[in-house]
Amino acid sequence: MTIIKPSTLPGFMELLPKDQVVFNRLVDIIKTNFEKYGFLPIDTPVLEKAEVLLAKGGGETEKQVYEFTKGTTDIAMRFDLTVPLARYTVEHFSDLNFPFKRYQIGKVYRGERAQKGRYREFYQCDIDIIGNGKISLVNDAECPAVIYSIFREFNFGKFTININNRKILNGFFKSLEVKSTEEVMRIIDKIDKIGVDNVKEELAKVGMSAENIDKLISFIEIDGTKEDIIEALKNLDCDNEDFIQGVEELETVVKYMRAYGVEDDYFKINLKIARGLDYYTGTVYETFLDDHRELGSVSSGGRYDNLAGYYTTNLMPGVGMSIGLTRLFSKMQELGLIKETKSEVSDIIIIPMEETVVESIEILSRLQKEGISATIYAESGKMGKKFKYADALDIKYALVIGENEIKSNVYGLKNMDTGEQEDLSIEEIIAKFSK
């Protein structure tokens, strides 16, 4: 028999149990916050009909899609959770209540070139609020409020949610008669790397006049408090309707975010934030860890005019945000920012003597019925080996049970971190952990 060396495919993350426990706790934080804000769970198939998944066609993403044929059916693996949401919303339209607030946490697949920090299989954690015909700007503030709540609980350090409005960008560019918005935004995006003078040179090469280049640079350099920026935008000599509406929407979203309790120090207006140029139409977001900007955006999203235009004639605007959890976890783990997160599953490990196995199982069952997470180590061996097992699983408390403990109902509860031991009855142990 040939022995095959086991290995995983490049670009696929696989964790040891201790790390998986931590990863799952982050998922729990995300899920709890999603549901706290009233988002409903859905789950869509990993495999979709290729004609449905790739209805939009073109773009870099389609080149990365895993696609195959089974019989006469062309099948593709989902590359994000938004396209399946569009299909789901149209297919179940008559059974949903609008605005439809959904969350989904699941794996998506992209055939990217495998490299450190880039994955072919990764978890997306998405929220979206979908309207039927229209949707309130309140939702544009709720999405970043949810992300704010999650990242405060993650406790990875200070972060900032950057917000902007695509209507401001589009309207201002139209007033400058910019021919290629995408090209200009690509150049502007390099300003921090190559400097203002080099940006001006590149803008001139794509046909912008010196006067309009100066106006554009002045625009993206607007800074100050949120009120300062909004006032400066209002004072610009720009009478484009999209621009004016975008400024009004941005001012309203700032007001609503404050009402949701998002602290001013955790979000700011950033006029360089654009997001997907052919997709987002209003508010846009990108979230950065202040001390680790090199990670790029850790949560992003925005408002779009029509989620499901490829599947229905109904207008379905929406707004959403996403966390790419696999990449974020990988980077946070690498930087040591989640090492203090609880990594054990059980609070107590019960270690029975050979003659007390049955009674130990009964005590284990009683603790579990009281909502205390506990496990048992019933293998034979020296006591040192048993304590070493508890240490390896990061279980904080060990309960050794012998005949004397059973007779007296007094048990030595050992703290594995400090080595200290408390002599307690089972009732006292239950009371201790119930707190």
Side-chain angles (χ1 to χ4, degrees), residues 166 274-281 284:
R166 285 301 313 278
R275 297 296 302 146
L277 290 163
D278 60 347
Y279 185 65
Y280 294 110
T281 55
V284 285

Side-chain angles (χ1 to χ4, degrees), residues 69 85 108 157 164 200 217 233 252 281 304 318 372 377 382 423:
T69 301
L85 169 64
V108 299
N164 194 12
K200 285 183 176 181
I217 296 299
L233 290 171
T252 301
T281 55
Y304 36 87
I372 300 167
Y377 185 85
K382 295 181 179 179
D423 292 327

Side-chain angles (χ1 to χ4, degrees), residues 345-365:
V345 171
S346 301
D347 293 317
I348 301 174
I349 184 167
I350 291 175
I351 302 174
M353 298 293 111
E354 287 185 12
E355 69 276 7
T356 64
V357 172
V358 171
E359 292 86 351
S360 295
I361 294 172
E362 290 171 349
I363 290 171
L364 172 73
S365 179

